[in-house]
Amino acid sequence: MSIGSIYEAAYKGDYNQVKLKLDDVLISPDENQRLLIHWAALGGHENLVDLLIDRGSPVDPTDDTNSSPLMLASSAGRVEVVKLLLDKGADVNKKTKRGQSSLHYACSKGHIQVAKLLISYEANINDTDILGATPLHRAAAQGRNNIVELLLSSPGIQVNTPDSTGSTPLHAACEEDRESVACMLVKAGAMMDLLNREKKLPIDLCSVKLKKMLTTLLE
């Protein structure tokens, strides 16, 4: 088995093949600076991740984008691997070079169980990336109703945080015409009179139908 193909074996969960070559490449990075544990985590192979850690792999190594195995597993919705990594001490609030956390990824992709798990391990629900976007911005823009509901029920959630364009999660929901999300946000205290940097209110960005819905909520 070539060095290159062992990373593919880790991603596919080929336990025996990886185990055979483990001593040679346990902490050897590939061309993207990813270790075997990155690929095993992304592939969702809990037993292989456990083996790698047991044999001495670091839990929180970062690749060339500063992504950790936890971030990759969170983005892919690998709940069991996320739980294992957190139990092994992975940093729940580690961020990529673009300032994105595991919770950003889980919320953007709609992985509700992963998001719940990360929050239970004290993920920062109000963390911002380099564009000022919070997990709530991500979930709102994508129309992830269940994720938005989860975030809004979390103590300390900030619903009116502006991103680098001055847009709040409500702006994001309105711009993408996410009706249910926009209504949830308004009921949770999202302000409709906040202007973004283009001097636009949230209701300036949405459909006529959604504008009527939100206006009715305030009456």
Side-chain angles (χ1 to χ4, degrees), residues 104 126-138 157-172 190-191 193-198 200 202:
H104 275 98
N126 297 310
D127 214 349
T128 56
D129 63 18
I130 63 170
L131 297 178
T134 64
L136 187 57
H137 278 96
R138 293 297 192 86
I157 187 68
Q158 296 172 11
V159 299
N160 293 304
T161 301
D163 64 14
S164 60
T165 69
S167 295
T168 65
L170 182 58
H171 280 93
M191 299 172 64
D193 59 352
L194 294 179
L195 295 169
N196 64 17
R197 290 193 176 180
E198 294 182 347
K200 299 286 188 181

Side-chain angles (χ1 to χ4, degrees), residues 31-164:
E31 61 185 5
N32 299 118
Q33 297 303 303
R34 288 184 178 181
L35 304 186
L36 290 175
I37 192 172
H38 281 99
W39 290 108
L42 181 60
H45 307 297
E46 180 188 4
N47 62 338
L48 188 49
V49 172
D50 197 31
L51 170 69
L52 294 170
I53 294 172
D54 186 61
R55 293 288 287 272
S57 173
V59 175
D60 250 353
T62 52
D63 64 12
D64 57 1
T65 67
N66 213 45
S67 294
S68 67
L70 179 62
M71 294 175 190
L72 297 179
S74 297
S75 181
R78 310 298 192 182
V79 181
E80 296 304 322
V81 172
V82 168
K83 178 69 163 63
L84 173 62
L85 290 168
L86 289 169
D87 285 342
K88 295 291 185 177
D91 183 356
V92 72
N93 289 312
K94 186 183 286 288
K95 299 168 79 167
T96 67
K97 289 180 178 178
R98 295 189 59 78
Q100 296 157 347
S101 67
S102 295
L103 189 59
H104 275 98
Y105 285 114
C107 291
S108 181
K109 297 292 184 66
H111 300 311
I112 183 68
Q113 295 305 322
V114 172
K116 286 181 179 179
L117 192 54
L118 293 168
I119 291 172
S120 74
Y121 278 75
E122 301 186 354
N124 182 354
I125 55 174
N126 297 310
D127 214 349
T128 56
D129 63 18
I130 63 170
L131 297 178
T134 64
L136 187 57
H137 278 96
R138 293 297 192 86
Q142 295 294 328
R144 309 294 188 188
N145 294 9
N146 55 350
I147 299 285
V148 170
E149 186 175 10
L150 171 67
L151 291 171
L152 292 178
S153 69
S154 301
I157 187 68
Q158 296 172 11
V159 299
N160 293 304
T161 301
D163 64 14
S164 60

